[in-house]
Amino acid sequence: MKNAIIVQRRLETERIDLEELQSLAESAGYTVVGSLLQTRTQDPKYQIGRGKIAELVELVKQRNAGKVIFDNDLNTAQAYNLAKTTGVEVIDRFKLILEIFSERASTTESKLQIELANLNYTLPRAREAVRLARREEQPGFHGLGEYQVEVYYRMIKKQIHDIQRKLAKISKKRNIHRERRLNLGYSLISLAGYTNAGKSTLFKALTNEDVVIDGKLFTTLSTTTRSVRLAGRPCLLTDTVGFIDRLPLTLVSSFLSTLAETIFSDLVLLVVDISEPIQVICSKIDCCMRTLEEIGANHIPTLVVLNKKDLTTPDECNEKIAALEPLVSDFVTISASKGENLGGLEQAIIDRLSSSIGLQLVLPIDSEASSLLSWLYQRTKVLNTDMNGNTMTIRLEAPPRFVGKIQGHVLRLNGQIQIDNHAWASSGKLS
């Protein structure tokens, strides 16, 4: 474990984020041995004021800290000046999140995305970093002095281009897989929410999949999609990377191909930790809504899942729900870890997939129709099947995008299909 001091400079109108910064630091493997908070405008040279600088230097020595972590964004000169003064490496919130992502990345795609985010962060700072590093070796700047400015700059641009090309190939494969899933007619449901809200726990509870779950932030960095039947309906459930307030745009853009799974969903389950203080809950919901808007998923129907109800009393839970009414109108309360009200959640999901269309099929009884019936059971919600002489009548529910495919199969078998009380005969014309 590495000792670290956390620091935040804020305006009077800004909230104190040291608690979340400490959670981030601990998720990255640091032991937080001290903290500093200052309320003032930004100092252009050090971010914090000169008096706090002296206090920070003393705290680093006393606590034997090996790193200082700022909640604020630091420009290259500020990071350099702080490192030179304190004698240890100084990083900001973005670099800390990047460390966590780097440690948690397990797939080729997520590793490339993190590398791309780091390079996009470094590129506009490259010339200044080299200029400062040439003065003398400072913590966090080792090795930069050997590069010429333009060579270093062009090298970063080339690396960015190479990674973007590799990610484009992966994204193409992802699109092909997504098209195949769409053709199967499954409803697509995405889990979204603030990091550590319990998305992976809920994913495991609904799919019985063995996924990594711990109390650290950003456990999930790559999407995991599994088929599941919810209240008898076949669906595909996707677990995605968690959101966090002030998630750097370079990270959002780098993970856009991963987050795109959310854009193509029929329903977003926005998981919220109901056990936290109401002010924190409101802030995190607002952050998640803004992030969904940033990635273009704000038009997707969203069901808020208030998780971890087992960590609150019924009265506390009801008070928080009442306080959330102006912000949240559509929600279900559950405990994913205890399995409480998962049946209610499944029914709520089905109720909100209101775009499903009811169909009635009349088919001749033969081997091809039997194969189609088996196919329908796997991909739609078959309500009932009646046999009458030489024909069978099938009543089912299917997503709108799947109706055309079913209609094609029915017409090929010289059957009939009724859609929303309109009967289509084998001619394909309205009867």
Side-chain angles (χ1 to χ4, degrees), residues 13 25 57 61 110-111 133 152 220 228 230 243 261 267 291 299 302 332 392 414:
T13 55
V57 170
K61 292 179 181 178
S110 60
K111 291 176 182 177
Y152 181 53
T220 302
V228 60
L230 301 177
F243 303 150
E261 294 295 318
L267 179 68
T291 304
H299 66 285
T302 301
V332 174
M392 70 171 78
N414 295 318

Side-chain angles (χ1 to χ4, degrees), residues 145-424:
E146 68 187 69
Y147 295 110
Q148 296 296 322
V149 176
E150 290 303 322
V151 173
Y152 181 53
Y153 190 81
R154 287 197 299 270
M155 179 191 71
I156 295 175
K157 292 191 73 173
K158 182 180 183 303
Q159 288 177 328
I160 289 175
H161 176 74
D162 290 343
I163 292 173
Q164 287 174 333
R165 180 171 47 80
K166 293 176 182 177
L167 285 173
K169 290 183 179 179
I170 296 174
S171 181
K172 186 176 181 180
K173 291 181 181 179
R174 184 189 295 279
N175 290 338
I176 292 172
H177 293 157
R178 186 184 298 118
E179 284 297 323
R180 288 175 179 170
R181 295 200 299 264
L182 289 172
N183 290 334
L184 289 174
Y186 287 89
S187 295
L188 308 180
I189 303 169
S190 288
L191 293 173
Y194 211 83
T195 181
N196 209 31
K199 298 187 306 303
S200 294
T201 303
L202 178 56
F203 183 84
K204 181 177 181 180
L206 293 176
T207 65
N208 293 317
E209 280 286 322
D210 187 17
V211 294
V212 177
I213 299 172
D214 61 31
K216 295 183 179 180
L217 306 184
F218 296 116
T219 300
T220 302
L221 286 185
S222 56
T223 59
T224 303
T225 300
R226 294 292 182 269
S227 61
V228 60
R229 296 191 78 88
L230 301 177
R233 179 169 176 165
C235 301
L236 287 173
L237 186 65
T238 297
D239 191 14
T240 61
V241 61
F243 303 150
I244 194 168
D245 198 19
R246 293 183 288 136
L247 184 66
L249 290 178
T250 48
L251 273 174
V252 173
S253 61
S254 296
F255 277 78
L256 195 58
S257 61
T258 300
L259 295 171
E261 294 295 318
T262 306
I263 301 173
F264 293 96
S265 300
D266 296 305
L267 179 68
V268 174
L269 301 183
L270 183 59
V271 184
V272 176
D273 183 353
I274 192 65
S275 70
E276 295 186 300
I278 188 62
Q279 296 86 351
V280 175
I281 295 173
C282 291
S283 177
K284 289 185 176 181
I285 290 177
D286 180 65
C287 166
C288 292
M289 293 300 188
R290 283 186 279 109
T291 304
L292 288 172
E293 184 175 2
E294 285 177 8
I295 65 176
N298 53 313
H299 66 285
I300 306 296
T302 301
L303 172 63
V304 176
V305 181
L306 301 177
N307 189 29
K308 305 185 183 182
K309 63 177 290 188
D310 56 302
L311 301 181
T312 67
T313 66
D315 288 342
E316 289 173 341
C317 192
N318 290 333
E319 287 178 7
K320 290 175 181 178
I321 289 172
L324 286 173
E325 283 185 358
L327 192 62
V328 175
S329 59
D330 195 16
F331 65 88
V332 174
T333 307
I334 68 162
S335 170
S337 64
K338 303 295 184 182
E340 296 180 21
N341 200 32
L342 293 184
L345 172 61
E346 289 190 23
Q347 189 57 54
I349 291 171
I350 299 305
D351 291 344
R352 282 149 187 83
L353 291 173
S354 55
S355 58
S356 293
I357 293 178
L359 304 177
Q360 178 172 293
L361 316 181
V362 179
L363 300 171
I365 297 178
D366 57 27
S367 59
E368 287 189 281
S370 297
S371 296
L372 176 58
L373 179 59
S374 176
W375 185 76
L376 290 171
Y377 265 107
Q378 294 176 3
R379 292 165 176 82
T380 69
K381 184 176 182 179
V382 177
L383 302 177
N384 59 63
T385 303
D386 294 325
M387 303 293 181
N388 185 13
N390 295 324
T391 64
M392 70 171 78
T393 301
I394 308 166
R395 295 177 181 84
L396 57 88
E397 294 177 353
R401 63 174 179 272
F402 202 39
V403 173
K405 184 178 287 293
I406 295 174
Q407 180 181 323
H409 286 299
V410 171
L411 298 183
R412 182 175 57 81
L413 297 177
N414 295 318
Q416 291 184 326
I417 178 170
Q418 182 175 308
I419 309 172
D420 286 342
N421 298 320
H422 296 294
W424 290 79

